[in-house]
Coordinates of all heavy atoms in Angstrom, one line a residue:
M26 N -30.5 16.4 -0.6 CA -29.6 15.6 -1.4 C -29.7 14.2 -1.0 O -29.7 13.8 0.2 CB -28.2 16.2 -1.2 CG -27.2 15.5 -2.1 SD -25.6 16.3 -1.9 CE -24.6 15.3 -2.8
A27 N -29.9 13.3 -2.0 CA -30.0 11.9 -1.7 C -28.6 11.3 -1.3 O -27.6 11.6 -1.8 CB -30.5 11.1 -2.9
R28 N -28.7 10.3 -0.3 CA -27.5 9.6 0.1 C -27.1 8.7 -1.0 O -27.9 8.0 -1.6 CB -27.7 8.9 1.4 CG -27.9 9.8 2.5 CD -27.9 9.1 3.9 NE -28.3 7.7 3.8 CZ -28.6 7.0 4.9 NH1 -28.7 7.6 6.1 NH2 -29.0 5.8 4.8
P29 N -25.8 8.5 -1.2 CA -25.3 7.5 -2.2 C -25.6 6.1 -1.8 O -25.6 5.8 -0.6 CB -23.8 7.8 -2.3 CG -23.4 8.4 -1.0 CD -24.6 9.2 -0.5
Q30 N -25.9 5.3 -2.8 CA -26.2 3.9 -2.5 C -24.9 3.2 -2.2 O -23.9 3.3 -2.9 CB -26.9 3.2 -3.7 CG -27.2 1.8 -3.5 CD -27.7 1.1 -4.7 OE1 -27.7 1.6 -5.8 NE2 -28.2 -0.1 -4.5
M31 N -24.9 2.5 -1.1 CA -23.7 1.8 -0.6 C -24.0 0.3 -0.7 O -25.0 -0.2 -0.2 CB -23.4 2.1 0.8 CG -23.1 3.6 1.0 SD -21.7 4.2 0.0 CE -20.3 3.5 0.9
L32 N -23.1 -0.5 -1.4 CA -23.3 -1.9 -1.6 C -22.4 -2.7 -0.7 O -21.3 -2.3 -0.4 CB -22.9 -2.2 -3.1 CG -23.7 -1.5 -4.1 CD1 -23.0 -1.7 -5.5 CD2 -25.1 -1.9 -4.2
K33 N -22.9 -3.8 -0.2 CA -22.1 -4.7 0.6 C -21.1 -5.4 -0.3 O -21.3 -5.6 -1.5 CB -23.0 -5.8 1.2 CG -23.9 -5.3 2.3 CD -24.8 -6.4 2.8 CE -25.8 -5.9 3.8 NZ -26.6 -6.9 4.4
L34 N -20.0 -5.8 0.2 CA -19.0 -6.5 -0.6 C -19.5 -7.7 -1.3 O -19.2 -7.9 -2.5 CB -17.7 -6.8 0.2 CG -16.6 -7.4 -0.5 CD1 -16.1 -6.5 -1.7 CD2 -15.4 -7.7 0.4
T35 N -20.4 -8.5 -0.6 CA -20.9 -9.7 -1.3 C -21.8 -9.3 -2.5 O -21.8 -10.0 -3.5 CB -21.8 -10.5 -0.3 OG1 -22.8 -9.6 0.3 CG2 -20.9 -11.1 0.8
E36 N -22.5 -8.2 -2.4 CA -23.2 -7.7 -3.6 C -22.3 -7.3 -4.7 O -22.6 -7.6 -5.9 CB -24.1 -6.5 -3.2 CG -25.2 -6.8 -2.2 CD -25.9 -5.6 -1.6 OE1 -25.2 -4.6 -1.4 OE2 -27.1 -5.7 -1.3
V37 N -21.2 -6.7 -4.4 CA -20.3 -6.3 -5.4 C -19.7 -7.5 -6.1 O -19.6 -7.6 -7.3 CB -19.2 -5.3 -4.8 CG1 -18.1 -5.1 -5.9 CG2 -19.8 -4.0 -4.3
L38 N -19.2 -8.4 -5.3 CA -18.6 -9.7 -5.8 C -19.6 -10.4 -6.7 O -19.2 -10.9 -7.7 CB -18.1 -10.5 -4.7 CG -17.0 -10.0 -3.8 CD1 -16.7 -10.9 -2.6 CD2 -15.8 -9.7 -4.6
D39 N -20.9 -10.5 -6.3 CA -21.9 -11.1 -7.2 C -22.0 -10.4 -8.5 O -22.1 -11.0 -9.6 CB -23.2 -11.2 -6.5 CG -23.3 -12.2 -5.4 OD1 -22.4 -13.1 -5.3 OD2 -24.2 -12.1 -4.5
E40 N -22.0 -9.1 -8.5 CA -22.2 -8.3 -9.7 C -21.0 -8.4 -10.6 O -21.2 -8.5 -11.8 CB -22.4 -6.8 -9.3 CG -22.7 -6.0 -10.5 CD -23.1 -4.6 -10.2 OE1 -23.7 -4.3 -9.2 OE2 -22.8 -3.7 -11.0
I41 N -19.8 -8.4 -10.1 CA -18.7 -8.5 -11.0 C -18.2 -9.9 -11.2 O -17.3 -10.1 -12.1 CB -17.5 -7.6 -10.5 CG1 -16.9 -8.1 -9.1 CG2 -17.9 -6.2 -10.3 CD1 -15.7 -7.3 -8.6
G42 N -18.8 -10.9 -10.6 CA -18.5 -12.3 -10.8 C -17.0 -12.6 -10.4 O -16.3 -13.3 -11.2
M43 N -16.7 -12.2 -9.2 CA -15.3 -12.4 -8.7 C -15.3 -13.0 -7.3 O -16.2 -12.7 -6.5 CB -14.6 -11.1 -8.8 CG -13.1 -11.1 -8.5 SD -12.4 -9.5 -8.6 CE -12.4 -9.3 -10.4
S44 N -14.3 -13.8 -7.0 CA -14.2 -14.3 -5.6 C -13.6 -13.2 -4.7 O -13.0 -12.2 -5.2 CB -13.2 -15.5 -5.6 OG -11.9 -15.1 -5.8
R45 N -13.8 -13.3 -3.4 CA -13.3 -12.4 -2.5 C -11.8 -12.3 -2.5 O -11.2 -11.2 -2.5 CB -13.8 -12.8 -1.1 CG -13.3 -11.8 0.0 CD -13.8 -12.3 1.4 NE -15.3 -12.3 1.4 CZ -16.1 -11.4 1.9 NH1 -15.6 -10.3 2.3 NH2 -17.4 -11.5 1.9
A46 N -11.1 -13.5 -2.7 CA -9.7 -13.5 -2.7 C -9.1 -12.7 -4.0 O -8.2 -12.0 -3.9 CB -9.2 -14.9 -2.8
A47 N -9.8 -13.0 -5.1 CA -9.4 -12.3 -6.3 C -9.6 -10.8 -6.2 O -8.8 -10.0 -6.7 CB -10.1 -12.8 -7.5
F48 N -10.7 -10.4 -5.6 CA -11.0 -9.0 -5.4 C -9.9 -8.3 -4.6 O -9.4 -7.2 -4.9 CB -12.4 -8.8 -4.7 CG -12.7 -7.4 -4.5 CD1 -13.3 -6.6 -5.5 CD2 -12.4 -6.7 -3.3 CE1 -13.7 -5.3 -5.3 CE2 -12.8 -5.4 -3.1 CZ -13.4 -4.7 -4.1
Y49 N -9.5 -9.0 -3.5 CA -8.5 -8.4 -2.6 C -7.1 -8.4 -3.2 O -6.3 -7.5 -3.0 CB -8.5 -9.1 -1.2 CG -9.5 -8.5 -0.3 CD1 -10.7 -9.2 -0.1 CD2 -9.4 -7.3 0.3 CE1 -11.7 -8.7 0.8 CE2 -10.4 -6.7 1.1 CZ -11.5 -7.4 1.3 OH -12.5 -6.9 2.1
R50 N -6.8 -9.4 -4.1 CA -5.6 -9.3 -4.9 C -5.6 -8.1 -5.8 O -4.6 -7.4 -5.9 CB -5.3 -10.6 -5.7 CG -4.9 -11.8 -4.8 CD -4.4 -12.9 -5.7 NE -5.4 -13.4 -6.6 CZ -6.3 -14.4 -6.4 NH1 -6.3 -15.0 -5.2 NH2 -7.2 -14.8 -7.3
M51 N -6.7 -7.9 -6.5 CA -6.8 -6.8 -7.4 C -6.7 -5.5 -6.6 O -6.1 -4.5 -7.1 CB -8.2 -6.9 -8.1 CG -8.3 -5.9 -9.2 SD -9.8 -6.2 -10.2 CE -11.1 -6.1 -9.0
R52 N -7.3 -5.4 -5.4 CA -7.3 -4.2 -4.6 C -5.8 -3.9 -4.1 O -5.4 -2.8 -4.1 CB -8.1 -4.5 -3.3 CG -8.2 -3.2 -2.5 CD -9.3 -3.5 -1.4 NE -9.4 -2.3 -0.6 CZ -8.9 -2.2 0.7 NH1 -8.3 -3.2 1.2 NH2 -9.0 -1.0 1.3
A53 N -5.1 -5.0 -3.9 CA -3.7 -4.8 -3.5 C -2.8 -4.2 -4.6 O -1.9 -3.5 -4.3 CB -3.0 -6.1 -3.1
R54 N -3.3 -4.4 -5.8 CA -2.6 -3.8 -7.0 C -3.1 -2.4 -7.3 O -2.7 -1.8 -8.3 CB -2.7 -4.7 -8.2 CG -1.9 -6.0 -8.0 CD -1.9 -6.9 -9.3 NE -3.2 -7.1 -9.9 CZ -3.9 -8.2 -9.8 NH1 -3.5 -9.2 -9.0 NH2 -5.1 -8.3 -10.4
G55 N -4.2 -2.0 -6.6 CA -4.7 -0.7 -6.8 C -5.7 -0.6 -8.0 O -6.0 0.4 -8.6
L56 N -6.3 -1.8 -8.3 CA -7.2 -1.9 -9.5 C -8.6 -2.1 -9.1 O -9.5 -2.2 -10.1 CB -6.7 -3.0 -10.4 CG -5.2 -2.9 -10.9 CD1 -4.8 -4.1 -11.6 CD2 -5.1 -1.6 -11.7
A57 N -9.0 -2.2 -7.9 CA -10.4 -2.5 -7.5 C -11.1 -1.2 -7.1 O -10.5 -0.1 -6.9 CB -10.4 -3.4 -6.3
P58 N -12.4 -1.2 -7.1 CA -13.2 -0.1 -6.6 C -12.8 0.2 -5.2 O -12.5 -0.7 -4.4 CB -14.7 -0.5 -6.7 CG -14.7 -1.8 -7.5 CD -13.3 -2.3 -7.5
R59 N -13.0 1.5 -4.8 CA -12.6 1.9 -3.4 C -13.6 1.3 -2.4 O -14.8 1.3 -2.6 CB -12.6 3.4 -3.4 CG -12.2 4.0 -2.0 CD -12.1 5.4 -2.1 NE -13.4 6.1 -2.3 CZ -13.7 7.3 -1.9 NH1 -12.7 8.0 -1.3 NH2 -14.9 7.8 -2.1
L60 N -13.0 0.8 -1.3 CA -13.8 0.3 -0.2 C -13.9 1.4 0.8 O -12.9 2.1 1.1 CB -13.1 -1.0 0.4 CG -13.1 -2.2 -0.4 CD1 -12.4 -3.3 0.3 CD2 -14.5 -2.7 -0.8
R61 N -15.0 1.4 1.5 CA -15.2 2.3 2.6 C -15.5 1.5 3.9 O -16.5 0.7 3.8 CB -16.4 3.3 2.4 CG -16.1 4.1 1.2 CD -17.3 5.0 0.8 NE -17.1 5.5 -0.5 CZ -17.4 6.8 -0.8 NH1 -17.9 7.6 0.1 NH2 -17.2 7.2 -2.0
K62 N -14.7 1.6 4.9 CA -14.9 0.8 6.1 C -15.8 1.6 7.1 O -15.6 2.8 7.4 CB -13.6 0.6 6.8 CG -13.6 -0.5 7.8 CD -12.2 -0.9 8.3 CE -12.3 -2.1 9.1 NZ -11.0 -2.6 9.4
L63 N -16.9 0.9 7.5 CA -17.8 1.5 8.5 C -17.3 1.4 9.9 O -16.4 0.5 10.1 CB -19.2 0.8 8.3 CG -19.8 0.8 7.0 CD1 -21.1 0.0 7.0 CD2 -20.1 2.2 6.5
P64 N -17.8 2.1 10.8 CA -17.4 2.1 12.2 C -17.5 0.7 12.8 O -16.7 0.3 13.7 CB -18.3 3.1 12.9 CG -18.7 4.0 11.9 CD -18.8 3.2 10.6
N65 N -18.4 -0.1 12.3 CA -18.6 -1.5 12.9 C -17.7 -2.5 12.2 O -17.7 -3.7 12.5 CB -20.0 -1.9 12.8 CG -20.5 -2.1 11.3 OD1 -19.8 -1.9 10.4 ND2 -21.8 -2.4 11.2
G66 N -16.8 -2.1 11.3 CA -15.8 -2.9 10.6 C -16.3 -3.5 9.3 O -15.4 -4.1 8.6
Q67 N -17.5 -3.4 9.0 CA -18.0 -3.8 7.7 C -17.5 -2.9 6.6 O -17.2 -1.7 6.8 CB -19.5 -3.9 7.7 CG -20.1 -4.9 8.6 CD -21.6 -4.9 8.6 OE1 -22.2 -4.2 7.8 NE2 -22.2 -5.8 9.4
V68 N -17.4 -3.4 5.4 CA -17.0 -2.6 4.2 C -18.1 -2.4 3.2 O -19.0 -3.3 3.1 CB -15.8 -3.1 3.5 CG1 -14.6 -3.1 4.4 CG2 -16.0 -4.5 3.0
R69 N -18.1 -1.3 2.6 CA -19.1 -1.0 1.5 C -18.4 -0.4 0.3 O -17.3 0.2 0.5 CB -20.1 0.0 2.0 CG -21.0 -0.4 3.2 CD -22.0 -1.5 2.8 NE -22.9 -1.8 3.8 CZ -22.8 -2.8 4.7 NH1 -21.7 -3.5 4.7 NH2 -23.7 -3.0 5.6
V70 N -19.0 -0.5 -0.8 CA -18.6 0.2 -2.0 C -19.7 1.1 -2.5 O -20.9 0.6 -2.6 CB -18.2 -0.8 -3.1 CG1 -17.8 -0.2 -4.4 CG2 -17.1 -1.8 -2.6
S71 N -19.5 2.3 -2.8 CA -20.5 3.2 -3.3 C -20.9 2.8 -4.8 O -20.0 2.3 -5.5 CB -20.2 4.6 -3.3 OG -19.3 5.0 -4.3
R72 N -22.1 2.9 -5.1 CA -22.6 2.5 -6.5 C -21.8 3.4 -7.5 O -21.4 2.9 -8.5 CB -24.1 2.8 -6.6 CG -24.7 2.7 -8.0 CD -24.3 1.5 -8.8 NE -24.8 0.3 -8.3 CZ -24.5 -0.9 -8.8 NH1 -23.7 -1.0 -9.8 NH2 -25.0 -2.0 -8.3
A73 N -21.6 4.7 -7.2 CA -20.9 5.6 -8.1 C -19.5 5.1 -8.3 O -19.0 5.1 -9.5 CB -20.9 7.0 -7.6
D74 N -18.8 4.7 -7.3 CA -17.4 4.1 -7.4 C -17.4 2.9 -8.3 O -16.5 2.7 -9.1 CB -16.8 3.9 -6.1 CG -16.4 5.1 -5.3 OD1 -16.4 6.2 -5.9 OD2 -16.1 5.0 -4.1
L75 N -18.4 2.0 -8.0 CA -18.4 0.7 -8.8 C -18.7 1.0 -10.3 O -18.1 0.5 -11.2 CB -19.5 -0.2 -8.2 CG -19.6 -1.6 -8.9 CD1 -18.2 -2.3 -8.8 CD2 -20.7 -2.4 -8.3
D76 N -19.6 2.0 -10.5 CA -19.9 2.3 -11.9 C -18.7 2.9 -12.6 O -18.5 2.6 -13.8 CB -21.1 3.3 -12.0 CG -22.4 2.6 -11.6 OD1 -22.5 1.3 -11.6 OD2 -23.4 3.3 -11.3
T77 N -18.0 3.8 -11.9 CA -16.8 4.4 -12.5 C -15.8 3.3 -12.8 O -15.1 3.3 -13.8 CB -16.2 5.4 -11.5 OG1 -17.2 6.4 -11.3 CG2 -14.9 6.0 -12.0
W78 N -15.6 2.3 -11.9 CA -14.7 1.2 -12.1 C -15.1 0.4 -13.3 O -14.2 0.1 -14.1 CB -14.7 0.3 -10.8 CG -13.8 -0.9 -10.9 CD1 -12.5 -0.9 -10.7 CD2 -14.2 -2.2 -11.3 NE1 -12.0 -2.2 -10.9 CE2 -13.1 -3.0 -11.2 CE3 -15.5 -2.8 -11.6 CZ2 -13.1 -4.4 -11.5 CZ3 -15.5 -4.1 -11.9 CH2 -14.3 -4.9 -11.8
W79 N -16.4 0.1 -13.5 CA -16.8 -0.6 -14.7 C -16.5 0.2 -15.9 O -16.0 -0.4 -16.9 CB -18.4 -0.8 -14.7 CG -18.9 -2.0 -13.9 CD1 -19.7 -2.0 -12.9 CD2 -18.6 -3.3 -14.2 NE1 -20.0 -3.3 -12.5 CE2 -19.3 -4.1 -13.3 CE3 -17.8 -4.0 -15.1 CZ2 -19.3 -5.5 -13.3 CZ3 -17.8 -5.4 -15.1 CH2 -18.5 -6.1 -14.2
E80 N -16.6 1.5 -15.9 CA -16.3 2.3 -17.1 C -14.8 2.2 -17.4 O -14.4 2.1 -18.6 CB -16.7 3.8 -16.9 CG -18.2 4.0 -16.9 CD -18.7 5.4 -16.5 OE1 -17.8 6.3 -16.5 OE2 -19.8 5.5 -16.2
R81 N -14.0 2.3 -16.4 CA -12.5 2.2 -16.6 C -12.2 0.8 -17.2 O -11.3 0.7 -18.1 CB -11.8 2.4 -15.3 CG -11.6 3.8 -14.9 CD -10.5 4.0 -13.8 NE -10.3 2.9 -12.9 CZ -10.7 2.8 -11.7 NH1 -11.4 3.9 -11.1 NH2 -10.5 1.8 -10.9
C82 N -12.8 -0.2 -16.7 CA -12.6 -1.6 -17.3 C -12.9 -1.6 -18.7 O -12.2 -2.2 -19.5 CB -13.4 -2.6 -16.5 SG -12.9 -2.9 -14.8
E83 N -14.0 -1.0 -19.1 CA -14.4 -1.0 -20.5 C -13.5 -0.2 -21.4 O -13.1 -0.6 -22.5 CB -15.8 -0.4 -20.7 CG -17.0 -1.2 -20.1 CD -18.3 -0.6 -20.1 OE1 -18.4 0.6 -20.6 OE2 -19.3 -1.2 -19.7
Q84 N -12.9 0.9 -20.9 CA -12.0 1.7 -21.6 C -10.7 0.9 -21.8 O -10.1 1.0 -22.9 CB -11.7 3.0 -20.9 CG -12.9 3.9 -20.9 CD -12.7 5.1 -20.0 OE1 -11.6 5.2 -19.3 NE2 -13.6 6.0 -20.0
H85 N -10.2 0.2 -20.8 CA -9.0 -0.6 -20.9 C -9.1 -1.8 -21.9 O -8.2 -2.2 -22.5 CB -8.5 -1.1 -19.6 CG -8.0 0.0 -18.7 ND1 -6.9 0.8 -19.0 CD2 -8.5 0.5 -17.5 CE1 -6.7 1.7 -18.0 NE2 -7.6 1.5 -17.1
A86 N -10.3 -2.3 -22.0 CA -10.6 -3.5 -22.8 C -10.7 -3.1 -24.3 O -10.5 -3.9 -25.2 CB -11.9 -4.2 -22.4
A87 N -11.0 -1.8 -24.5 CA -11.2 -1.4 -25.9 C -9.9 -1.1 -26.7 O -8.9 -1.1 -26.2 CB -12.1 -0.1 -25.9

């Protein structure tokens, strides 16, 4: 089984065109893709979680 692709937060922010501050405000409201904290303190977002988040955004916009 292949491991899921994990994206750095900077990669996610570039893809969605959002600042770090705006992302964390959205996260505080429970509207951002799920973050996973690594043992070294860095955070990642799985590609699957980000794709699911994009789909939810499209459904709310329709």
Side-chain angles (χ1 to χ4, degrees):
M26 183 174 177
R28 290 189 335 194
Q30 181 184 9
M31 300 301 285
L32 304 169
K33 293 179 181 178
L34 184 56
T35 54
E36 295 171 324
V37 172
L38 296 174
D39 286 344
E40 183 172 328
I41 65 177
M43 186 176 288
S44 71
R45 183 179 300 265
F48 180 87
Y49 277 104
R50 284 191 303 269
M51 189 171 60
R52 184 172 183 255
R54 294 189 308 263
L56 302 173
R59 183 172 67 155
L60 292 179
R61 298 174 194 224
K62 194 168 191 175
L63 301 177
N65 64 3
Q67 295 180 0
V68 294
R69 297 286 187 270
V70 176
S71 78
R72 169 50 66 186
D74 287 346
L75 184 59
D76 290 344
T77 300
W78 178 81
W79 273 122
E80 289 172 16
R81 278 197 331 256
C82 289
E83 290 175 358
Q84 290 171 357
H85 290 295

